[in-house]
Amino acid sequence: MEKLNEANKGAGFRCGVVALVGRPNVGKSSLVNSLLKARAVIVSPKPQTTRNAVRCIYNDERAQIVFTDTPGIHLPKDKLGNFLSDAVFDALENADAVCYMVEAGDKKIGTEDAEALNSLAGIARPVLLVVNKCDGQTRDPSRAFAVYGGARAFAGRAALSARSGRGVPELVELLLRFLPEGEPWYDPDILMDSTERFMAAEIIRGKTLAFLRDEVPHCVAVEVEEYKSPDEYPERDKLYIRASLIVETPGQKGILIGAGGATLKKIGQAARGDLEETTGHSVYLELWVKISPKWRQSEPVLRRLGYS
């Protein structure tokens, strides 16, 4: 990781890693996007939207904080689920502090949160309780503080709304206490520690989640097979991306393509718009749908897709 020069380092500057953990759909990715004031990671109401531990970089004059947005903690049902759980535990081991996220409307500790609390039991890092969705009819975090505060001791606590940004600056202020002093690792214009291929695959998968219902999105993986940018190929005037959407059954393939290819066309059009906004290039996007039976149980396929 390339560090900034000494002139950019202020006295007492802090730099560290903060892992965001919690059950699926609790708002971890929304918090990252609020912190960075950009769409750094995909957000969807569907569980398991985040499948990798995504490192996103927050900067201000006092600190650089590398937030690791982790998959939601859940009970694994397949080899992909095992990978998601392993990604969470790896993020916990490599963090300087942990934000355990819950919701203001929580009235009891459910199965997934019990699993999350169990995974945090042996963590030596400071763990902060962060109550999200403190907006609308659930502004008061006191019930959630009482429910989860009775389960374990926390190094600190914060209440916020990732959607509106309310309370987010206060969370950053709280985190500064737990981060070591040191030089920044990344140039300040870098938002994510990820390859362009990974970001393209996530954008395409995000649009797939937006246009599909029920269980089909969980059966879809995206593999970027070609990525040729004008930055690398000066003779090109467009960024060329060829990607495959991988599903498990012919029925899922039919749903993904849609009548006359309508659904796949909508996904491609929406993804191309976001890709052009993100990369600054005109994009030619070519999407294919492939069947890989039981890919979520196949270690070779998971390795190829970067899940192990």
Side-chain angles (χ1 to χ4, degrees):
M1 290 179 265
E2 184 179 355
K3 295 186 177 183
L4 299 179
N5 60 46
E6 197 67 23
N8 290 322
K9 176 190 170 186
F13 191 89
R14 297 184 180 275
C15 182
V17 178
V18 174
L20 303 178
V21 301
R23 67 179 186 266
N25 202 29
V26 78
K28 300 180 293 296
S29 297
S30 295
L31 175 57
V32 168
N33 290 339
S34 180
L35 284 158
L36 273 56
K37 296 181 173 60
R39 285 183 299 175
V41 289
I42 61 175
V43 175
S44 166
K46 299 177 177 68
Q48 295 185 27
T49 297
T50 302
R51 286 184 178 170
N52 299 76
V54 183
R55 293 162 66 93
C56 303
I57 299 96
Y58 168 88
N59 291 281
D60 66 20
E61 68 281 358
R62 303 164 298 169
Q64 181 174 91
I65 307 176
V66 181
F67 285 95
T68 306
D69 179 24
T70 66
I73 293 177
H74 66 290
L75 298 175
K77 297 180 180 179
D78 48 39
K79 285 186 169 65
L80 175 61
N82 290 334
F83 168 81
L84 302 184
S85 295
D86 290 345
V88 175
F89 297 136
D90 288 346
L92 291 173
E93 288 297 321
N94 291 298
D96 295 294
V98 177
C99 287
Y100 170 49
M101 291 186 65
V102 299
E103 295 184 15
D106 290 352
K107 299 178 181 179
K108 64 178 182 179
I109 298 174
T111 303
E112 289 171 327
D113 278 297
E115 181 72 12
L117 288 166
N118 182 60
S119 70
L120 294 171
I123 299 298
R125 283 77 174 165
V127 178
L128 285 67
L129 176 61
V130 178
V131 178
N132 188 27
K133 304 185 181 181
C134 294
D135 42 25
Q137 299 297 315
T138 53
R139 282 184 174 272
D140 185 3
S142 58
R143 183 194 296 269
F145 282 144
V147 168
Y148 293 98
R152 63 158 290 156
F154 291 95
R157 64 185 193 179
L160 55 84
S161 167
R163 182 174 62 179
S164 70
R166 176 176 174 262
V168 173
E170 288 78 6
L171 173 62
V172 172
E173 190 71 34
L174 177 60
L175 287 170
L176 293 179
R177 306 178 195 174
F178 304 100
L179 302 181
E181 291 190 7
E183 299 179 13
W185 296 341
Y186 297 90
D187 191 276
D189 62 355
I190 295 176
L191 291 182
M192 294 179 66
D193 181 12
S194 301
T195 66
E196 292 178 337
R197 278 176 175 257
F198 173 82
M199 294 176 68
E202 285 294 274
I203 287 172
I204 296 167
R205 192 167 66 85
K207 297 307 177 185
T208 304
L209 287 169
F211 286 103
L212 296 180
R213 298 180 182 178
D214 304 323
E215 290 302 310
V216 176
H218 303 304
C219 304
V220 178
V222 177
E223 182 176 19
V224 174
E225 297 174 338
E226 282 194 72
Y227 189 99
K228 294 183 177 180
S229 169
D231 296 330
E232 296 180 89
Y233 300 88
E235 71 278 7
R236 291 184 170 275
D237 59 357
K238 288 188 175 183
L239 167 58
Y240 172 70
I241 301 173
R242 180 166 60 88
S244 291
L245 305 181
I246 299 172
V247 294
E248 294 184 323
T249 69
Q252 293 164 1
K253 180 177 179 178
I255 292 171
L256 184 52
I257 293 174
T263 303
L264 189 62
K265 183 178 180 180
K266 288 178 182 178
I267 292 169
Q269 289 174 337
R272 185 169 61 250
D274 278 12
L275 287 164
E276 290 181 341
E277 180 181 340
T278 301
T279 65
H281 294 300
S282 295
V283 172
Y284 183 85
L285 175 62
E286 190 175 335
L287 294 181
W288 297 85
V289 182
K290 297 181 179 180
I291 299 173
S292 179
K294 298 183 180 179
W295 70 263
R296 290 176 293 176
Q297 291 283 18
S298 171
E299 290 188 7
V301 176
L302 288 171
R303 282 196 297 269
R304 194 185 79 228
L305 294 173
Y307 288 126
S308 59

